């Protein structure tokens, strides 16, 4: 029922600056190298781009395309593209250093150095999907894996990582606390952090993560006959949003779509960064239902891109997330049914809610000519939470 989405949204109009971060922070070579490797992985298939004409008609926009990442490598989310590729690149750099010769990604992919990989431990903090991707990559490449999760990460997501061979360490704090502990213990033990967020002096793995996500953007552009006018992108630390925004800029140049960033109001680090004109931490007081977006510290590298590419920043309440999940799953507008996770529908929920407000709809330029791209970043990554939502619970 679309009336469930008629809520007040916090909005800040960004001030995009002409610049070249979309080409320098993430180069065309970064994207092309990741695409060449990832599309060579066993089991690679492009994920569906689902058209939602029924919903588009009901909310008064020209077109809606939803990139459904649920089937990605059987891992349930777009993160499969980033964490695993970044792990492979970390192993490539370290093996080349240890062996005193260039080691190729193909050699690692084909298992030529599994014995050496067994002595290289990779670690990361996660809300679930990034850790699952890293664990999957480590399993394939033969490296030990340690994953740090915070108190609110569901046990179902922890089990999924353990089943891929990862050692999972749960802490009492939040996501940002788990990031700090992963960094600390890696430094103490000579392990290698594979994070999707960057900080001073740490840029290579986050760049590789974002380069991997570019595969998704390339698939979208190959499927579309015309550039979208808008793209609604989930926040989190900003890696997904920055990657897609940069890739679309490189592909479409001046015809690149208007970039709208969407975050939970409970974890709005990018919104606050836009308000302050610089990367700004957000003190999380309560966990959002959108577990994958519960991040208080933006990636500095991602922010560098978003500061130039994003036009608008929105925050949404948790109350509209479960209805968006049910709308897709139940095909309420006559469109194909899609099983999506809580973080996947952030852009969809924001789009519907914005179109319920004449003022917001006009501000964002969402009229009958708008062609909106949404990134459905995950499928059902926690069956228990999904079942509760489908049973009618809005707070899980």
């Amino acid at each position: 029922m679309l009336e469930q989405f008629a809520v007040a949204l916090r909005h800040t109009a960004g001030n995009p600056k002409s610049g070249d971060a979309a080409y320098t922070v993430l180069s065309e070579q970064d994207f092309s190298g990741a695409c060449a490797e990832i599309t060579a992985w066993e089991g690679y298939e492009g994920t569906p781009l689902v058209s939602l004409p029924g919903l588009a008609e009901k909310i008064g926009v020209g077109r809606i395309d939803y990139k459904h990442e649920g089937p990605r490598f059987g891992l349930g989310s777009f993160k499969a593209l980033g964490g695993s590729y970044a792990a492979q690149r970390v192993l490539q750099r370290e093996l080349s250093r240890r062996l005193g010769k260039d080691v190729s990604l193909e050699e690692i992919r084909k298992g030529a150095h599994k014995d050496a990989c067994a002595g290289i431990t990779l670690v990361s903090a996660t809300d679930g999907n990034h850790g699952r991707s890293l664990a999957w990559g480590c399993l394939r490449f033969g490296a030990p894996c340690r994953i740090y999760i915070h108190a609110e990460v569901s046990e179902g997501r922890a089990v999924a990582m353990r089943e891929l061979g990862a050692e999972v360490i749960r802490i009492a704090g939040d996501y940002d606390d788990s990031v700090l502990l992963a960094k600390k213990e890696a430094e103490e033990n000579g392990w290698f952090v594979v994070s999707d967020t960057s900080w001073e002096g740490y840029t290579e793995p986050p760049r590789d993560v974002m380069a991997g996500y570019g595969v998704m953007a390339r698939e979208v552009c190959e499927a579309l006959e015309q550039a979208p006018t808008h793209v609604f992108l989930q926040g989190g630390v900003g890696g997904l949003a920055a990657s897609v925004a940069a890739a679309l800029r490189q592909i479409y140049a001046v015809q690149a779509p208007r970039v709208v960033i969407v975050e939970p109001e409970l974890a709005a680090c990018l919104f606050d960064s836009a308000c302050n004109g610089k990367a700004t931490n957000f003190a999380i007081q309560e966990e959002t239902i959108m577990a994958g977006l519960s991040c208080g510290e933006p990636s500095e590298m991602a922010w560098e891109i978003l500061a130039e590419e994003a036009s608008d920043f929105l925050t949404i309440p948790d109350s509209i997330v479960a209805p968006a999940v049910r709308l897709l799953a139940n095909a309420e507008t006559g469109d194909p049914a899609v099983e999506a996770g809580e973080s996947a529908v952030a852009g969809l929920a924001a789009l519907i809610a914005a179109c319920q407000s004449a003022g917001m709809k006009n501000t964002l330029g969402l009229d009958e000519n708008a062609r909106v791209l949404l990134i459905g970043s995950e499928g059902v990554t926690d069956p228990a939470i999904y079942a509760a939502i489908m049973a009618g619970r809005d707070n899980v």
Side-chain angles (χ1 to χ4, degrees):
M1 304 291 285
L2 296 186
E3 57 266 24
Q4 297 178 73
F5 296 86
V7 298
L9 298 179
R10 295 173 69 206
H11 172 258
T12 178
N15 183 26
K17 297 170 286 190
S18 58
D20 57 4
Y23 296 88
T24 57
V25 176
L26 281 169
S27 70
E28 293 176 90
Q29 291 73 27
D30 290 328
F31 281 129
S32 62
C35 186
E37 175 58 27
I38 291 169
T39 56
W41 290 354
E42 183 179 354
Y44 167 77
E45 290 184 5
T47 52
L49 186 65
V50 182
S51 179
L52 303 175
L55 178 60
E57 181 179 2
K58 284 187 179 296
I59 66 174
V61 298
R63 181 183 179 101
I64 301 172
D65 290 288
Y66 179 95
K67 180 64 166 169
H68 178 36
E69 285 295 293
R72 184 69 73 181
F73 285 114
L75 295 185
S77 90
F78 79 103
K79 293 277 190 176
L81 297 168
S84 296
Y85 177 67
Q88 190 179 11
R89 290 275 287 149
V90 168
L91 293 171
Q92 179 188 34
R93 288 188 287 268
E94 181 59 14
L95 287 170
S96 296
R97 186 190 70 81
R98 292 186 182 188
L99 299 177
K101 63 177 183 178
D102 289 339
V103 172
S104 71
L105 293 174
E106 181 182 11
E107 289 175 68
I108 297 171
R109 181 190 346 127
K110 292 184 174 180
H113 301 285
K114 277 213 168 184
D115 289 345
C117 286
I120 304 172
T121 298
L122 306 184
V123 307
S124 190
T126 187
D127 285 310
N129 291 334
H130 174 72
R132 191 173 181 182
S133 174
L134 178 59
W136 178 65
C138 287
L139 181 65
R140 292 168 60 231
F141 306 136
C145 180
R146 288 174 60 89
I147 303 295
Y148 296 76
I149 62 174
H150 61 83
E152 299 299 322
V153 175
S154 72
E155 185 57 23
R157 291 189 170 101
V159 168
M161 290 181 278
R162 292 190 190 103
E163 289 178 345
L164 291 168
E167 182 179 357
V168 178
I169 299 92
R170 185 183 292 275
I171 71 163
D174 61 16
Y175 171 76
D176 297 311
D177 293 323
S178 66
V179 170
L180 291 174
L181 183 60
K183 289 165 57 177
K184 176 179 179 292
E185 295 200 350
E187 291 171 0
E188 292 172 349
N189 292 280
W191 301 331
F192 294 83
V193 176
V194 184
S195 177
D196 57 356
T197 188
S198 66
W199 52 83
E200 186 176 354
Y202 181 81
T203 58
E204 285 186 320
R207 181 178 288 108
D208 292 331
V209 167
M210 291 193 289
Y213 297 161
V215 172
M216 177 175 55
R218 181 173 295 192
E219 291 173 358
V220 167
C221 296
E222 289 174 349
L224 290 176
E225 296 181 356
Q226 191 175 13
T229 60
H230 298 69
V231 57
F232 280 59
L233 296 168
Q234 295 90 323
V237 300
L240 164 66
S243 173
V244 173
L248 294 177
R249 174 64 65 190
Q250 291 179 17
I251 293 168
Y252 290 123
V254 295
Q255 294 183 324
R258 180 172 182 164
V259 175
V260 182
I261 304 301
V262 180
E263 293 177 286
E265 61 185 12
L266 297 174
C269 62
L270 299 178
F271 183 97
D272 281 3
S273 297
C275 290
N276 294 328
K278 62 180 181 180
T280 301
N281 293 352
F282 181 96
I284 294 175
Q285 303 298 322
E286 180 183 348
E287 290 296 330
T288 170
I289 187 176
M290 293 167 277
L293 306 181
S294 183
C295 307
E297 184 174 351
S299 167
E300 294 179 7
M301 182 183 299
W303 177 248
E304 190 175 344
I305 294 171
L306 295 176
E308 293 185 356
E309 293 295 325
S311 298
D312 310 273
F313 294 80
L314 303 180
T315 67
I316 61 173
D318 275 15
S319 59
I320 65 175
V321 174
V325 171
R326 290 191 290 267
L327 180 147
L328 279 180
N330 294 330
E332 293 177 13
T333 55
D335 297 318
V338 177
E339 294 187 341
E342 314 86 74
S343 297
V345 300
L348 174 71
L351 172 64
I352 296 171
C355 287
Q356 305 303 303
S357 162
M360 183 69 73
K361 189 174 184 181
N362 182 64
T363 295
L364 295 175
L366 294 167
D367 58 21
E368 66 278 4
N369 297 312
R371 301 181 301 276
V372 183
L373 172 62
L374 304 173
I375 303 297
S377 54
E378 65 178 5
V380 180
T381 56
D382 191 307
I385 291 176
Y386 183 77
I389 289 173
M390 293 307 296
R393 290 181 58 188
D394 289 350
N395 297 302
V396 293

